[in-house]
């Protein structure tokens, strides 16, 4: 579970963002704050992994909170959730390492897509060992994508993360039939997700010959 802190000057927005976050698999809200100072204290005491940060706060603005966080040893990622559309604010947020910048108002789908792409990139980064340029490109591609809207038809960001983790956990690989049994969806859907992972270079495919019948395609994680 990705430990998440929600920060917004509007208590109603805090409540909505909390509810949205708790609807996304793999995230848990561990705290809330309605000011910059309270956010900094909460980061220090609760040590979240992700901060959902408004840029307009009553004391320290979001950019100042970011500057202080980057000047500290707190290893927290930040997604900006704000009504600020100022180019200078956006540029400063980028310089300070904001992962995503979500402008209010937004739908739950948009919110979920950003969290899903962040979680997928984080999971891929955790698995990387001496990555090649292609691996790095795919990592940044996850963050640049807009979730399901940038994925092919029939590919869900949340399901893709689940499939990716399943394949990665099996050193000997698996077939589409075996994936279908493990994740509980159709053989055709399993083949579609495995083909997508193969097309992006995340998995390798080989033939597995059984005692009888046609050989099966065996998919193994590529090592990225």
């Amino acid at each position: 579970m990705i430990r998440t802190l929600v920060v917004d000057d509007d208590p109603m927005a805090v409540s909505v963002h909390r509810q949205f976050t708790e609807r996304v698999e793999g995230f848990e809200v561990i705290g809330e704050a309605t000011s910059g100072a309270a956010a900094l204290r909460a980061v220090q005491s609760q040590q979240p992994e992700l901060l959902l940060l408004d840029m307009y706060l009553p004391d320290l603005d979001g950019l100042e909170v970011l500057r202080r966080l980057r000047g500290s040893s707190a290893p927290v990622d930040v997604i900006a959730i704000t009504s600020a559309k100022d180019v200078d604010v956006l540029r400063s947020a980028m310089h300070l390492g904001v992962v995503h910048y979500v402008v209010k108002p937004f739908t739950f789908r948009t919110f979920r897509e950003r969290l899903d792409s962040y979680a997928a990139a984080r999971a891929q980064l955790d698995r990387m060992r001496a990555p090649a340029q292609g691996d790095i490109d795919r990592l940044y591609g996850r963050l640049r994508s807009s979730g399901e809207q940038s994925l092919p038809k029939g590919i869900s960001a949340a399901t893709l993360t689940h499939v990716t983790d399943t394949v990665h956990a099996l050193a000997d690989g698996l077939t589409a039939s075996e994936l279908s049994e493990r994740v509980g969806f159709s053989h055709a859907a399993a083949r579609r997700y495995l083909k997508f992972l193969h097309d992006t270079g995340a998995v390798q495919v080989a033939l597995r010959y059984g005692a009888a019948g046609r050989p099966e395609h065996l998919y193994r994680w590529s090592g990225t």
Side-chain angles (χ1 to χ4, degrees), residues 13-14 21-22 32 49 56 68 85 98 104 106 110 121 130 142 145 148 152 157 164 177 184 202 212 216 223-224:
V14 169
T21 303
E22 291 172 343
E32 303 170 351
E49 296 162 288
Y56 294 140
R68 297 193 185 191
K85 298 179 182 178
V98 166
K104 301 176 184 177
F106 52 85
T110 295
R142 288 187 184 276
S145 74
E148 294 186 17
T164 298
S177 296
E216 296 180 294
T224 62

Side-chain angles (χ1 to χ4, degrees), residues 1-4 21 24-28 119:
M1 299 293 283
I2 297 175
R3 294 161 49 84
T4 306
T21 303
V24 181
E25 183 179 354
F27 292 81
E28 63 172 338

Side-chain angles (χ1 to χ4, degrees), residues 18 35 42-43 83 108 126 141 145-146 158-159 165 178 185 200 205 223:
R18 169 186 274 276
S35 71
V43 169
S83 57
F108 171 67
D126 288 343
S145 74
S146 57
T159 304
D165 290 342
E178 290 165 346
F185 55 45
T200 60
V205 63

Side-chain angles (χ1 to χ4, degrees), residues 7-8 17 53-57 79-85 89 93 100-106:
V7 182
D8 198 290
H17 298 167
L53 180 65
D54 188 12
M55 292 291 104
Y56 294 140
L57 298 170
I79 294 178
I81 299 182
T82 180
S83 57
K85 298 179 182 178
V89 173
H100 282 303
Y101 195 100
V102 184
V103 177
K104 301 176 184 177
F106 52 85

